[in-house]
Amino acid sequence: MRVVIQRVQYALVVIDGHVKSEIKQGLLVLVGIEDADSDEDIEWLAKKICNLRIFDDEHGVMNRSALDESKDILVVSQFTLHASTKKGNRPSYIRASKPETAIPLYARFCDEIGLQLGHPVQTGKFGADMKVQLLNDGPVTIVMDTKNKE
């Protein structure tokens, strides 16, 4: 699993002109899933995201997590995170899982983050044409891949 995590002042997902999900301060997590991903990857990544100390403490130091601060998280599927640009100018998405594999993993990932946080996460809609609006706070943007845990 590959994610882009952004600390945001707000984020929302619009589908067909309607707001599907919205959060205030918290994290926007874009997630790409590949066939090699497992429940172990889901658990590790969900725990890591919820406990990342990227929110300011009372001294203005990034020392607090989404869990510490009871922040909301919006999770949006994004297969393009697995784009390969090694050959030519048209990206290849061969590593990205097909929907029949990715949808159940995406759902489990969202559920696991909700369990870690103690409240459900907001989501996009898998496979939909989504418009994602956000105001990055900091900016703070972190990229993680479960294939690079070490």
Side-chain angles (χ1 to χ4, degrees):
M1 297 181 91
R2 184 172 292 161
V3 295
V4 174
I5 303 159
Q6 295 182 309
R7 186 178 75 181
V8 297
Q9 286 291 312
Y10 74 87
L12 57 102
V13 173
V14 177
I15 301 172
D16 295 328
H18 296 58
V19 175
K20 158 77 169 83
S21 299
E22 183 175 9
I23 64 168
K24 302 275 188 235
Q25 280 190 322
L27 299 176
L28 170 63
V29 178
L30 305 174
V31 59
I33 297 168
E34 62 182 304
D35 289 347
D37 292 329
S38 66
D39 285 338
E40 179 184 319
D41 293 317
I42 289 170
E43 292 167 13
W44 180 85
L45 193 55
K47 184 176 181 180
K48 197 74 162 171
I49 290 168
C50 292
N51 289 287
L52 273 179
R53 297 186 319 176
I54 57 175
F55 292 95
D56 292 349
D57 64 15
E58 61 277 4
H59 304 291
V61 176
M62 288 196 293
N63 203 27
R64 307 278 296 163
S65 69
L67 189 58
D68 295 332
E69 296 292 311
S70 298
K71 298 293 187 186
D72 288 326
I73 296 179
L74 172 58
V75 181
V76 176
S77 62
Q78 189 168 353
F79 74 93
T80 60
L81 291 178
H82 284 296
S84 173
T85 56
K86 290 182 180 178
K87 295 193 312 190
N89 292 318
R90 183 176 185 190
S92 168
Y93 304 105
I94 195 94
R95 284 189 53 205
S97 289
K98 302 286 185 260
E100 56 273 9
T101 300
I103 290 171
L105 289 171
Y106 173 71
R108 285 203 305 273
F109 179 64
C110 293
D111 289 346
E112 184 63 28
I113 289 179
L115 285 172
Q116 296 279 333
L117 277 182
H119 62 272
V121 298
Q122 297 295 310
T123 64
K125 181 178 178 188
F126 193 95
D129 180 16
M130 297 176 274
K131 308 303 179 211
V132 180
Q133 294 180 20
L134 66 126
L135 179 60
N136 194 313
D137 182 15
V140 175
T141 302
I142 296 171
V143 178
M144 296 175 66
D145 193 316
T146 57
K147 304 309 178 257
N148 298 322
K149 291 179 197 172
E150 307 301 313

